[in-house]
Amino acid sequence: MNRADFLEGLRGGFAVALASAPFGALFGALAVENGMSLSEAAFMSATVYAGASQMVGIELFGHHVQAWLIVLSILAVNFRHVLYSAALARYIGHFTPVQKFFTFFLLVDPQFAAAVKRGEAGRPLTFAWYFGFAIIIYIPWILTSIAGGLLGGFIGDPKAIGLDILLPAYFLGIVLGFRKRDNFLPVALVSAVASVFAYRYVGSPWHVSLGAAAGIVLAALLPLPPQEPDLEADALQSEVHEV
């Protein structure tokens, strides 16, 4: 791997690792509180590696819900990753099958946002950069989950001190990172409204996927934004004609 790209990825992911540390600790604390052992909580963080889905999972574990329903609920929350992987496909066509396996396993929301922005900026999306960005988030996520499980008793009720607002605020920050895109406002508004209605009449966690589906449908129906003229290509074509 290219060392410079790997180090650049580490630097980029470090801020995300710091921001996600409270979520990892919160998960560990809630997991132990809901009857999971410390090793089980760490194993879930290492294999599922999806904060929102892990929160849904432990909540359902605590209510003794059937296993198939837990799996289906986690799938509903994680369905957005199907869309993420499709959006990334054009940037990672040069990855080997093994690299693609790790790419999709380590794919989380901030990873997707950073990778897409890098690709749209015309910068090469190398596996070295991607892996560096991902691994600096993945390892601390597991370690903070363990720390939260060990020290969770000192936190008490997370809602009492407002820790339950961290996850929604975090996702809102990621969404706003794309606010300059065409049609961002109507798509985001429709997704939010649909999600609220789904939460009210269908329930959690289905509101996540239903809100996303509503935004996708609207985005597909809206007209494409006008393409900016490629002045460089036009100039080159004029030179060819002159010759």
Side-chain angles (χ1 to χ4, degrees):
M1 292 194 298
N2 184 290
R3 187 170 182 270
D5 283 355
F6 180 73
L7 293 177
E8 183 183 357
L10 287 178
R11 289 192 295 269
F14 182 72
V16 179
L18 290 178
S20 61
F23 306 134
L26 179 59
F27 164 74
L30 292 176
V32 172
E33 183 182 333
N34 281 272
M36 294 181 71
S37 68
L38 194 61
S39 59
E40 288 171 339
F43 183 74
M44 190 175 186
S45 284
T47 54
V48 178
Y49 186 46
S53 299
Q54 291 177 221
M55 297 293 188
V56 170
I58 59 174
E59 182 178 350
L60 296 177
F61 287 146
H63 289 83
H64 304 289
V65 177
Q66 295 182 1
W68 69 267
L69 185 57
I70 295 176
V71 172
L72 195 60
S73 299
I74 291 177
L75 178 63
V77 176
N78 271 355
F79 182 77
R80 67 190 188 280
H81 287 257
V82 176
L83 308 176
Y84 287 173
S85 58
L88 278 181
R90 56 178 169 169
Y91 301 119
I92 62 171
H94 58 289
F95 285 13
T96 67
V98 173
Q99 289 174 339
K100 288 180 180 178
F101 170 81
F102 285 105
T103 295
F104 294 132
F105 174 75
L106 296 169
L107 181 59
V108 290
D109 299 280
Q111 183 85 31
F112 166 75
V116 168
K117 288 181 179 179
R118 185 180 178 89
E120 290 181 344
R123 304 184 64 191
L125 187 58
T126 64
F127 182 72
W129 174 86
Y130 190 99
F131 188 72
F133 194 103
I135 202 67
I136 196 64
I137 304 172
Y138 177 68
I139 293 178
W141 175 259
I142 300 172
L143 295 178
T144 54
S145 297
I146 296 173
L150 289 171
L151 305 175
F154 297 100
I155 298 176
D157 182 8
K159 294 182 179 180
I161 55 177
L163 285 180
D164 58 319
I165 199 63
L166 287 176
L167 191 62
Y170 177 65
F171 279 111
L172 180 61
I174 293 176
V175 171
L176 290 178
F178 293 91
R179 64 187 180 279
K180 295 183 180 180
R181 283 193 168 193
D182 295 302
N183 298 326
F184 167 82
L185 186 58
V187 171
L189 184 61
V190 166
S191 294
V193 172
S195 182
V196 170
F197 272 90
Y199 183 81
R200 173 66 177 81
Y201 295 105
V202 181
S204 176
W206 304 104
H207 66 293
V208 177
S209 295
L210 292 174
I216 292 169
V217 170
L218 178 63
L221 294 175
L222 289 174
L224 292 174
Q227 297 293 324
E228 295 182 2
D230 192 338
L231 300 179
E232 184 177 345
D234 291 342
L236 180 60
Q237 187 174 6
S238 298
E239 291 179 5
V240 171
H241 284 307
E242 289 176 3
V243 173

